Amino acid sequence: SQTIHQWPATLVQPVGSPLSLECTVEGTSNPNLYWYRQAAGRGLQLLFYSIGIDQISSEVPQNLSASRPQDRQFILSSKKLLLSDSGFYLCAWGAGGRGTEAFFGQGTRLTVV
Amino acid sequence: QKEVEQDPGPLSVPEGAIVSLNCTYSNSAFQYFMWYRQYSRKGPELLMYTYSSGNKEDGRFTAQVDKSSKYISLFIRDSQPSDSATYLCAAYKAAGNKLTFGGGTRVLVKP
């Protein structure tokens, strides 16, 4: 069966520091991969999605970037965090092709102080 | 206007009642519809997935899609306190290869 791992679960970082959140998927190949952000009490905002290695689309211009160095690895990064980057970050995978439902990791709660 | 709209709630019901959740969408290109349940500080969990108009039932959960009205619903029968969570609807269209989520409805089932 497929599983998705996302870490760390919580993170407190000072303003101006770098960020690296990692997500890996097991049990499937060539998945679609997604990064979402969820502000408190709000819905999910799609940040990046990827249909293959080094194929990444950005949905929102911002202080963040994403990379997919391996088929089942998706990384969210920032060179210098802003206070507004605080939120709940979720990685998800989808089967592609039929490309419908997405399956989520447990999320990373990021607080920028 | 958001492409998928959802009342944020909270929706409070007594244990055993039917929970009724709704979403509307604006883009007729959406083809697939999903409901997710999200507990506090956790990732969303897929509950139901539907494609065509009509009903789909899975245990205590029933998902309804009315494409003519651009309206999707989720019903939870015999609600339990463990059903207390935020419920997110989502819609998918092939162009763009991504899901669009509603803002979520918070549900409280009181014992």
Side-chain angles (χ1 to χ4, degrees), chain B residues 5-111:
Chain B
E5 298 270 10
Q6 190 174 3
D7 189 317
L11 178 63
S12 183
V13 300
E15 183 176 356
I18 294 175
V19 176
S20 176
L21 300 165
N22 305 298
C23 282
T24 58
Y25 63 95
S26 57
N27 193 331
S28 58
F30 286 129
Q31 300 167 294
Y32 301 88
F33 304 92
M34 279 133 269
W35 284 96
Y36 287 83
R37 177 176 63 195
Q38 185 177 22
Y39 291 115
S40 181
R41 299 179 177 269
K42 300 292 185 182
E45 170 194 13
L46 181 66
L47 278 179
M48 299 285 285
Y49 160 82
T50 56
Y51 170 65
S52 57
S53 285
N55 293 358
K56 182 176 182 179
E57 195 171 311
D58 184 0
R60 296 186 295 114
F61 298 91
T62 299
Q64 244 178 30
V65 176
D66 182 348
K67 289 189 175 180
S68 62
S69 302
K70 298 188 180 66
Y71 199 81
I72 56 177
S73 302
L74 178 71
F75 301 98
I76 307 173
R77 292 184 299 280
D78 188 26
S79 58
Q80 306 294 312
S82 58
D83 294 325
S84 297
T86 296
Y87 290 80
L88 299 152
C89 62
Y92 173 86
K93 56 180 184 276
N97 198 28
K98 60 191 177 187
L99 287 173
T100 301
F101 283 85
T105 299
R106 187 175 169 217
V107 172
L108 300 171
V109 180
K110 296 185 176 180

Side-chain angles (χ1 to χ4, degrees), chain A residues 32 34 36 38 41-44 46 49 51 59 88 90 97-107 109, chain B residues 2 8 32 34 36 38 40-46 49 86 88 92 96-104:
Chain A
N32 290 344
Y34 307 89
Y36 287 87
Q38 187 175 36
R42 301 182 67 178
L44 295 168
L46 180 63
Y49 74 95
I51 61 172
E59 289 296 298
F88 192 46
L90 289 154
R98 190 172 62 127
T100 53
E101 66 268 43
F103 301 93
F104 286 85
Q106 287 303 296
R109 185 159 304 279
Chain B
K2 292 182 180 178
Y32 301 88
M34 279 133 269
Y36 287 83
Q38 185 177 22
S40 181
R41 299 179 177 269
K42 300 292 185 182
E45 170 194 13
L46 181 66
Y49 160 82
T86 296
L88 299 152
Y92 173 86
N97 198 28
K98 60 191 177 187
L99 287 173
T100 301
F101 283 85

Side-chain angles (χ1 to χ4, degrees), chain A residues 37 45-48 58-64 85:
Chain A
R37 178 168 59 201
Q45 179 188 33
L46 180 63
L47 302 176
F48 300 94
S58 173
E59 289 296 298
V60 200
Q62 59 207 325
N63 187 39
L64 301 168
D85 291 323

